[in-house]
């Protein structure tokens, strides 16, 4: 009986062992999955040569983003009404952080701002620029695939008490740049150019609005001093 039982056990294990060996061979022969590749934005910071210096400091707040953009995976639109993410190609960080960090660097390098601080830094600042990303993706354009960037930015003057007077502007920005090649690297190059254009326009808009507000304050103070002198005479 024992010998018969041993024989049945052996016969039961033979197909199991063969299956395990077959699976092991399949896994050895299978192609390894492609590794993830991460990309960053690269472009020269735009400057404001000859721009008048500002006396007030600026704070660059962190950009918000649509829920569909809160991922480091590259986003693309294969067709209308569809949005997909790339499994193997990613940004180094989520797009809202990429854009915030790039703008913070560019505002600091622009020149005319007295000081530029990041959100969370304790130093006081008169002006605050906030933004919201609405598109940061690859899509179809008139001449082929393009990198699409859309954002809204708001500039505040924190020295004013009432909200209507605090808001200097709220503007929408949209840029499209053709992909030099149909690849993740091509998207990174095209998106870098789009963010460069956003940065150049936003830095210029913020400087012009802040300088205009500071000029209004200086004019008001001058008028007050003249009025005081006139009454004293």
């Amino acid at each position: 009986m024992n010998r018969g039982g041993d024989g049945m056990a052996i016969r039961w294990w033979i197909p199991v062992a063969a299956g395990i060996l077959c699976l092991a061979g399949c896994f050895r022969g299978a192609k390894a999955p492609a590794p993830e590749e991460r990309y960053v934005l690269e472009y020269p910071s735009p400057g404001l040569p000859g721009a008048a210096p500002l006396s007030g400091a600026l704070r660059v707040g962190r950009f918000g983003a649509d829920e569909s953009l809160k991922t480091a995976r590259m986003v693309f639109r294969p067709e209308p009404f569809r949005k997909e993410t790339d499994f193997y190609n990613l940004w180094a960080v989520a797009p809202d952080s990429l854009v915030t960090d790039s703008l913070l660097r560019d505002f600091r390098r622009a020149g005319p701002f007295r000081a530029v601080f990041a959100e969370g830094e304790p130093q006081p600042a008169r002006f605050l620029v906030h933004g919201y990303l609405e598109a940061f993706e690859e899509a179809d354009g008139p001449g082929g695939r393009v990198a699409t960037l859309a954002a809204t930015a708001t500039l505040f003057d924190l020295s004013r008490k009432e909200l209507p007077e605090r808001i200097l502007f709220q503007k929408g920005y949209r840029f499209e740049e053709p992909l030099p090649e149909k690849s993740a690297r091509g998207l990174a190059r095209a998106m870098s150019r789009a963010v460069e254009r956003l940065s150049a326009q936003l830095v210029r808009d913020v400087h012009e609005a802040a300088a205009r507000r500071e000029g209004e304050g200086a004019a008001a103070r001058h008028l007050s001093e003249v009025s005081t002198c006139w009454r004293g005479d």
Side-chain angles (χ1 to χ4, degrees):
M1 292 293 293
N2 289 339
R3 284 194 298 271
D6 291 343
M8 290 179 63
I10 292 172
R11 286 194 299 272
W12 182 80
W13 272 104
I14 287 175
V16 174
I20 293 174
L21 290 174
C22 181
L23 285 174
C26 290
F27 280 122
R28 282 197 301 270
K31 187 178 180 180
E36 291 183 348
E37 293 187 352
R38 293 182 177 267
Y39 295 85
V40 296
L41 302 174
E42 293 185 358
Y43 63 89
S45 295
L48 284 176
L54 299 175
S55 60
L58 171 72
R59 188 178 311 282
V60 179
R62 297 209 65 82
F63 269 50
D66 285 352
E67 287 296 324
S68 62
L69 299 177
K70 292 181 179 180
T71 174
R73 300 196 181 281
M74 288 183 165
V75 177
F76 64 96
R77 288 182 176 272
E79 60 186 15
F81 305 104
R82 285 187 60 199
K83 184 179 286 190
E84 303 290 345
T85 55
D86 194 319
F87 188 78
Y88 296 112
N89 297 301
L90 298 81
W91 298 109
V93 292
D96 53 351
S97 295
L98 273 180
V99 171
T100 301
D101 293 344
S102 297
L103 291 176
L104 178 62
R105 177 202 65 183
D106 295 345
F107 274 106
R108 284 173 170 168
R109 293 180 179 179
F113 301 97
R114 182 179 183 182
V116 178
F117 303 116
E119 185 173 309
E121 290 187 298
Q123 296 85 350
R126 176 176 178 177
F127 300 104
L128 168 66
V129 59
H130 258 299
Y132 190 87
L133 272 183
E134 298 160 0
F136 196 91
E137 61 201 23
E138 178 185 338
D140 276 325
R145 302 296 286 177
V146 297
T148 301
L149 169 65
T152 299
T154 308
L155 179 64
F156 299 90
D157 179 359
L158 302 181
S159 70
R160 301 297 178 94
K161 294 181 180 180
E162 300 298 328
L163 183 59
E165 294 184 352
R166 280 192 164 202
I167 300 176
L168 293 178
F169 72 72
Q170 184 174 78
K171 293 184 178 181
Y173 301 84
R174 186 177 182 87
F175 302 96
E176 291 186 350
E177 286 292 326
L179 270 65
E181 58 183 85
K182 292 182 179 180
S183 65
R185 185 178 299 275
L187 176 58
R189 291 176 60 187
M191 192 61 77
S192 294
R193 174 57 183 153
V195 175
E196 179 183 7
R197 292 174 61 193
L198 167 66
S199 177
Q201 186 64 55
L202 183 57
V203 168
R204 184 162 50 251
D205 289 346
V206 167
H207 176 265
E208 288 178 355
R212 187 164 52 250
R213 174 57 62 88
E214 288 191 347
E216 292 171 358
R221 286 192 300 271
H222 177 71
L223 182 61
S224 177
E225 291 171 0
V226 170
S227 178
T228 301
C229 292
W230 183 81
R231 287 196 302 269
D233 291 343

